[in-house]
Amino acid sequence: MIVRKIVTVVEEILTEGGRAVSPAARVAIVAAVIENPWAGQGFVEDLSSGIEDNASPLGELLAPKVIEALGAEAQAYGKAAIVGLNGEIEHGSGLIHTLKFGDHFRKAANATTLLPAVEKRGPAGIVFDIPLKHITDATIRSHHQTVEVRIADAPHPDEIVIALAAAAQGRPQQRLAPLTTEQ
C-alpha cells in the first residue's frame, strides 16, 4: 500500500437553527490518499489479491486516527471510497466493502452495525458526502446525517481516497420522532 498523504478534518458545530449546541457537535474525518493497487493493469477480473494486501492495513491505519481526532466516543459512523478517473468504482468498493477493512472501525467504535458508504469516481477536488448512521442501531433517526468532504488535490487519476468519518452525537437540534412512532 502506497499512501501519498493522510488528511484529517474535525468539524464542531456551535449553533444550529439560531440556537447554541452544547456540547458542540463534533464530526471527524480521516482520509488516506493511496495509489490504486490496480492502476495500469487494465480490467482485472479477480480483485482479491489487492483487497487482501490493502483492505486490512487501511482499516488498521484509519480507524484509530478517526477516533482519536473525534476526541470522544463515536455514536455514528460512515466510510467512503473515491476513485480517480483511471480507476473503477469497483476498486474502491473492493477495499471498503470487506470485513477486513470495516471490522477495524467497528472494533475501535464499539459498533455492531454495517458502515454506510459512498463510492464514486471523480477528479481531484471532487466533493463527496459520507453518510453516517448510529453505531449499534441503524434505525435511530437522530444519527442519520452526512458530512461533506473535499480534498483539493485528490484523487489523482491513479489514486483512491479512502475515508472514515465519526460523529460524537446525532444531528444538532434533531427533533424527529423515533421511527417506532410510525410503525
Side-chain angles (χ1 to χ4, degrees):
M1 176 175 66
I2 299 172
V3 179
R4 178 165 65 90
K5 69 179 187 175
I6 295 174
V7 176
T8 302
V9 177
V10 177
E11 174 179 279
E12 290 187 319
I13 299 171
L14 305 174
T15 62
E16 180 71 24
R19 294 184 177 202
V21 175
S22 182
R26 289 179 63 89
V27 178
I29 303 108
V30 177
V33 179
I34 66 165
E35 182 179 289
N36 185 332
W38 300 281
Q41 298 179 38
F43 186 86
V44 177
E45 187 67 38
D46 183 359
L47 302 178
S48 60
S49 66
I51 293 167
E52 188 65 34
D53 292 344
N54 296 283
S56 184
L58 277 166
E60 188 174 22
L61 172 70
L62 295 175
K65 288 184 180 297
V66 73
I67 297 297
E68 180 182 348
L70 185 61
E73 288 187 26
Q75 289 189 19
Y77 66 168
K79 61 187 174 182
I82 311 304
V83 180
L85 293 174
N86 289 346
E88 298 173 39
I89 293 172
E90 191 70 1
H91 296 162
S93 295
L95 294 174
I96 67 170
H97 290 306
T98 172
L99 296 177
K100 293 174 191 316
F101 176 77
D103 277 352
H104 290 284
F105 200 9
R106 270 184 284 285
K107 182 178 178 185
N110 296 313
T112 56
T113 59
L114 293 177
L115 282 149
V118 62
E119 310 89 6
K120 68 191 282 186
R121 179 178 35 238
I126 190 166
V127 175
F128 58 97
D129 290 343
I130 302 176
L132 305 175
K133 302 271 187 198
H134 193 276
I135 62 169
T136 60
D137 184 347
T139 68
I140 296 176
R141 285 183 174 171
S142 59
H143 289 61
H144 294 194
Q145 55 189 313
T146 59
V147 60
E148 186 175 279
V149 183
R150 178 181 178 272
I151 302 173
D153 69 340
H156 290 170
D158 289 328
E159 291 180 333
I160 304 174
V161 174
I162 302 293
L164 295 178
Q169 70 298 306
R171 294 182 311 278
Q173 314 296 19
Q174 78 80 27
R175 51 198 178 274
L176 297 178
L179 183 61
T180 57
T181 64
E182 294 183 21
Q183 295 176 340

